[in-house]
Amino acid sequence: IKSSMTNIERMFGLLKEAPLVVDTQNAQPLTVSNGKIEFKDISFAYEPSRTILSNLSFTVQPGEKVALVGSSGAGKSTIAKLLFRFYDTSKGAILIDDQNIKHCAQHSLRAAIGVVPQDTVLFNTSLIENVRYGRPGASDAEVKHAIELAHLKDFVEGLPKQYETQVGERGLKLSGGEKQRVAIARTILKNPAILLFDEATSSLDSASESAVMEAIREVSAGKSSLVIAHRLSTVVDADRIIVIDKGGVVEQGSHHSLIKAQGLYAQLWALQQNEQGI
Ligand SMILES: Nc1ncnc2c1ncn2[C@@H]1O[C@H](COP(=O)(O)OP(=O)(O)O)[C@@H](O)[C@H]1O
Ligand SMILES: [Mg+2]
């Protein structure tokens, strides 16, 4: 069984890349008390010649649900990868509860954050073991409770082999929405202080999307969460929406204040309303 760190790297498609950052010799474990996240004046480039993020700053207050929106290629997933410290930044600092993540042990950082990525990876084992991955020591009852909270119980109990159903490449193929709910069930079991959703519903039809959105709303209640979204209609209820463009913050506020401001968010909103034929 692979370590949970490897699991997270697989989720971001980073497994084939060499280890990118190493712990400093006196790295301290991250201690999360409230879950405040601060990006302070971050600049970052994958390759020296091409800046991806420049002077980016924002804060997620303890318990706040913040959405990151913006066009494809704006730098949203890069922000997610930096929060996990898959790369170190060239300028600025990322702080969690006032601790610079550069000086924290990577294992403790990744243990503190639960991620629901765009494409959930299922392992070639049973459904119950796939969910238990979120916290390997969890009892069957705890895993089944997480499955229920993730709105997956009726689906699983309707299968001939129920929780023992084999999934993955050689097993039952799950739909996009079912896989996302497996990822949410894992996250519920892990019970991290900080949650990160990267376009978790973007590949779903609207029925699965609303089931996944409801599960996301429940699991993120009272937790600091960062929700990266393509479809703006899925983040209307966020405490704050931050609009990213060309690697920087261009506006932020509630849905209503951003619509009133008639800036980039209002433009993107109007475009998406037209696409839906509303
Ligand atoms: N591993 C990488 N190496 C080089 N460039 C990358 C890498 N990952 C992403 N990029 C580039 O960084 C920019 C921002 O990408 P990304 O953060 O994925 O945007 P978003 O999630 O907002 O669509 C894009 O131009 C993308 O091509
Ligand atoms: Mg992305």
Side-chain angles (χ1 to χ4, degrees), residues 30 85 92-104:
L30 173 73
R85 201 177 160 226
I94 300 170
L95 309 180
I96 295 179
D97 287 337
D98 302 317
Q99 299 148 87
N100 188 334
I101 64 169
K102 212 177 246 186
H103 304 136
C104 292

Side-chain angles (χ1 to χ4, degrees), residues 17 46-47 50 52 71-78 81 87:
E17 297 179 24
Y46 292 99
E47 296 140 14
R50 187 160 165 251
I52 303 293
S71 311
S72 167
K76 305 180 298 295
S77 293
T78 302
K81 287 187 258 182
Y87 304 89

